[in-house]
Amino acid sequence: MSSVTIPPPECMLRPLEVPFRYLFGPGPSNVPPRVLAAGGRGIIGHMHPEMYEIMNDIKKGIQYAFQTQNNMTIAMSGSGHAAMECAVFNTVEPGESVLVAVNGIWGERVAEIAERMGANVHIMVKAPGGVFSNEEIEKALAKHKPVLFFLTHGESSAGLAHPVDGIGDLCRKHNTLFLVDAVASLGASPIFMDQQNIDILYTGSQKALNAPPGTAPISFNERACQKMFNRKTKPVSYLFDMAHLSNYWGNDGQPARLSFGPISGLLCLSHQYLVFVFPQGLEESWRHHREVAGYLWKGLEDMGLKLFIQNKDLRLPSVTTIAIPEGYNWREMLQYIMKHHNMEMTGGLGPSTGMVSVRGMLKF
Ligand code: PMP
């Protein structure tokens, strides 16, 4: 009798096919061939000195992209969600108060993550794309006395670039850590971690950074480190525990570095690549996104379409949202575009589902 009772599936005999698509949803984005090739250069051990060098370079690239001098800067294994969980799991302990600004799906998601780990979650809610004033935020900080306040910089489900200025100062005044999600905006819309007093900032590799999904840059400043390394309880996740991750990335000053991670993903996100993404620097990248987005917005409006975010200054340059025209079925439209133009666009997400159609941006 054969020891194998389950035959190999027929699909294993078929060659892998990955069709080319224009990825115009809010991520993943198309990845330039040069970046894809970086991931295929080979595998080395995650604890080889060359890998540590590459990780050190990636750290410098992230510090530049985030405009921060924070030592506690790493790229996590996982997509943007991994960084979201890492930020919350490490800085909050069960029972502590957390304040979340919800104006689209990402605030909802962070509120759920914080709830699941036993935090006492308070939400400030606006319709998708709504903007919270600094006065509203300060009132809520004073009322709920949170250890952490979360805001999405690039709310991709609504196409909003939320202003950030002044909020970090308010958080300091109220002894709260300021956590910002820049998954959809980093590299496309200006953000200055140190100058804006952002305590924790994260992004994802597969949006404006144009790398494959699977690595998520995140940075913690000194205030955040004070909180997360003086906890009474251990973070609920072993994988995302910054006590370990800081050692893997050589941030804890210990000579022994134990490491694991997605080698190929890190090669794609390597220092050379981060530099390649901003060939003429961050400012040029922001300018380029703004210019191309402006061209797109005008073209869409000339066609008679309405953009979901009316105030141009609040539109996210990397993700444009179009209000669904009256009488049209958004699912059918997106299917038509995919079938006839090979382009992926997506509907809204969470509270904006059926209100907008999202188109991300291609950047090579
Ligand atoms: N935050 C924002 C603002 C996003 O746009 C996304 C993904 N679209 C995420 C978080 C989650 O990132 P990921 O899909 O890489 O897990």
Side-chain angles (χ1 to χ4, degrees), residues 25-28 78-84 105-107 109-110 150 152-157 181-185 202-207 213-216 316 319 349:
S79 67
H81 278 85
M84 272 173 157
I105 193 169
W106 303 108
R109 190 86 25 113
V110 165
F150 171 85
T152 314
H153 177 231
E155 204 356 301
S156 52
S157 66
D181 176 323
V183 171
S185 55
Y202 64 81
T203 190
S205 52
Q206 81 278 29
K207 316 282 173 183
T215 56
L316 188 57
V319 181
L349 268 176

Side-chain angles (χ1 to χ4, degrees), residues 22-180:
Y22 295 102
L23 298 178
F24 289 160
S29 324
N30 292 99
V31 178
R34 182 169 153 181
V35 177
L36 279 179
R41 289 220 193 132
I43 297 291
I44 54 172
H46 39 70
M47 289 192 273
H48 293 185
E50 296 84 358
M51 195 59 214
Y52 289 149
E53 271 312 300
I54 291 169
M55 290 163 80
N56 292 345
D57 288 349
I58 291 173
K59 179 173 158 180
K60 287 184 197 134
I62 299 171
Q63 286 171 325
Y64 170 64
F66 282 15
Q67 287 294 286
T68 183
Q69 297 191 348
N70 292 339
N71 172 50
M72 202 54 70
T73 299
I74 68 166
M76 307 187 45
S77 313
S79 67
H81 278 85
M84 272 173 157
E85 293 208 328
C86 177
V88 176
F89 288 172
N90 281 279
T91 54
V92 181
E93 296 195 62
E96 287 183 331
S97 168
V98 170
L99 178 65
V100 180
V102 177
N103 54 351
I105 193 169
W106 303 108
E108 281 187 353
R109 190 86 25 113
V110 165
E112 182 172 347
I113 289 169
E115 242 164 51
R116 283 182 184 217
M117 50 122 329
N120 184 11
V121 180
H122 305 279
I123 53 174
M124 312 171 61
V125 184
K126 295 240 181 213
V131 173
F132 299 90
S133 71
N134 286 12
E135 290 69 34
E136 287 170 318
I137 293 170
E138 174 150 39
K139 235 168 122 182
L141 290 172
K143 182 169 171 202
H144 300 297
K145 302 188 185 1
V147 294
L148 186 76
F149 171 59
F150 171 85
L151 182 76
T152 314
H153 177 231
E155 204 356 301
S156 52
S157 66
L160 176 81
H162 199 290
V164 170
D165 279 345
I167 303 174
D169 301 332
L170 295 176
C171 286
R172 283 188 181 199
K173 185 170 149 197
H174 291 272
N175 203 21
T176 298
L177 294 175
F178 185 28
L179 166 62
V180 176

Side-chain angles (χ1 to χ4, degrees), residues 141-255:
L141 290 172
K143 182 169 171 202
H144 300 297
K145 302 188 185 1
V147 294
L148 186 76
F149 171 59
F150 171 85
L151 182 76
T152 314
H153 177 231
E155 204 356 301
S156 52
S157 66
L160 176 81
H162 199 290
V164 170
D165 279 345
I167 303 174
D169 301 332
L170 295 176
C171 286
R172 283 188 181 199
K173 185 170 149 197
H174 291 272
N175 203 21
T176 298
L177 294 175
F178 185 28
L179 166 62
V180 176
D181 176 323
V183 171
S185 55
L186 190 95
S189 193
I191 191 130
F192 304 91
M193 184 170 191
D194 288 357
Q195 278 173 45
Q196 290 174 317
N197 282 336
I198 297 168
D199 297 299
I200 309 131
L201 182 67
Y202 64 81
T203 190
S205 52
Q206 81 278 29
K207 316 282 173 183
L209 289 181
N210 286 122
T215 56
I218 186 165
S219 181
F220 298 81
N221 70 5
E222 210 28 59
R223 289 180 83 223
C225 289
Q226 282 297 328
K227 173 82 172 75
M228 72 182 173
F229 294 135
N230 289 294
R231 309 168 52 105
K232 292 183 207 85
T233 57
K234 284 187 178 175
V236 290
S237 165
Y238 180 92
L239 178 64
F240 295 162
D241 187 339
M242 278 303 293
H244 306 142
L245 293 174
S246 71
N247 176 263
Y248 303 159
W249 282 79
N251 293 345
D252 64 356
Q254 299 299 318

